[in-house]
Amino acid sequence: MEWNVSMGGRPLEEIELVDRAKRGDVGAYEELVRRHQSLAARTAYVITGQAADAQDAVQEAFVKAYRSLGRFREGAAFRPWLLRIVANEARNRLRSAARRERLALRAAAEVRPGDAVPSPEAALLTREENDRLLAAVERLSDEHRDAVACRYFLELSEQETASALGVRRGTVKSRVSRALERLREELGEEAS
């Protein structure tokens, strides 16, 4: 048996890092933070819609996660556990600040390295389509918007989305299905 084989889809190295961090190895926790910081930041940004609020939420979530490592269930996946803390902290910041500014999910419009550069006309059309989609997503209820953002903008699995949002997998399926139906209706009406 090879010891570097993953368990439950997770590399042994991550399991070892979590174990070391639980025993007080700050360097191991710093490595976990480094590996998950980008996704944590995107998750918080999707929820708060504000870069500063997202950054504050992520920092606080990492502190809370570190303090809670003793309660982390052995054998559980670290990423969904952490994303749930991040999502909760982001929601708390959003509620306490009582802000409802426009949700700007720039990741959807991001050009990836290696993609062909579109013509100015195509770029304008793509930008207008993305703006329409983002505006429609913004009008969804918080529950539906969070589910769509996790599944499609952050590309989380259903299980990871369920863990991050603190709901069952079936609830994620239902929310995503209803949200997509609403988006189809709304975007279909706008196109007419």
Side-chain angles (χ1 to χ4, degrees):
M1 180 172 146
E2 186 176 330
W3 291 104
N4 288 330
V5 175
S6 67
M7 290 177 60
R10 293 174 292 124
L12 283 177
E13 185 177 304
E14 183 167 282
I15 295 168
E16 292 168 7
L17 286 172
V18 171
D19 285 343
R20 287 176 32 208
K22 286 175 79 171
R23 291 191 309 265
D25 183 340
V26 175
Y29 190 70
E30 287 173 352
E31 178 62 18
L32 288 168
V33 168
R34 187 190 62 73
R35 290 180 181 195
H36 299 287
Q37 191 162 16
S38 177
L39 182 58
R42 291 189 319 240
T43 300
Y45 185 76
V46 163
I47 294 169
T48 65
Q50 299 290 324
D53 289 342
Q55 183 178 11
D56 290 345
V58 168
Q59 288 177 353
E60 186 63 27
F62 277 121
V63 169
K64 287 182 176 182
Y66 183 75
R67 291 180 183 154
S68 300
L69 274 175
R71 295 189 303 263
F72 180 73
R73 191 170 35 98
E74 190 172 327
F78 182 76
R79 182 169 123 165
W81 178 77
L82 175 65
L83 291 179
R84 185 172 185 178
I85 294 170
V86 170
N88 286 338
E89 188 59 33
R91 276 191 223 97
N92 290 343
R93 288 196 175 275
L94 188 62
R95 278 192 287 272
S96 67
R99 284 186 225 144
R100 287 287 172 205
E101 293 189 23
R102 187 172 197 268
L103 178 64
L105 299 172
R106 301 281 185 243
E110 183 179 305
V111 175
R112 293 182 176 91
D115 286 352
V117 176
S119 69
E121 297 83 9
L124 179 60
L125 285 175
T126 300
R127 182 69 188 167
E128 288 173 359
E129 291 168 357
N130 285 339
D131 288 346
R132 280 184 55 226
L133 175 61
L134 292 175
V137 169
E138 205 175 286
R139 289 188 289 272
L140 294 171
S141 69
D142 289 347
E143 292 175 340
H144 291 131
R145 183 178 60 239
D146 290 350
V148 166
C150 285
R151 287 290 288 134
Y152 298 104
F153 293 106
L154 298 175
E155 299 177 354
L156 299 180
S157 69
E158 285 178 353
Q159 189 58 51
E160 290 170 328
T161 299
S163 293
L165 298 178
V167 298
R168 291 180 296 185
R169 190 172 173 185
T171 303
V172 169
K173 285 183 175 184
S174 173
R175 287 180 183 174
V176 168
S177 176
R178 288 184 183 132
L180 292 177
E181 183 179 322
R182 172 97 192 265
L183 290 172
R184 280 187 204 102
E185 290 170 4
E186 187 171 331
L187 293 173
E189 289 173 11
E190 287 181 14
S192 304

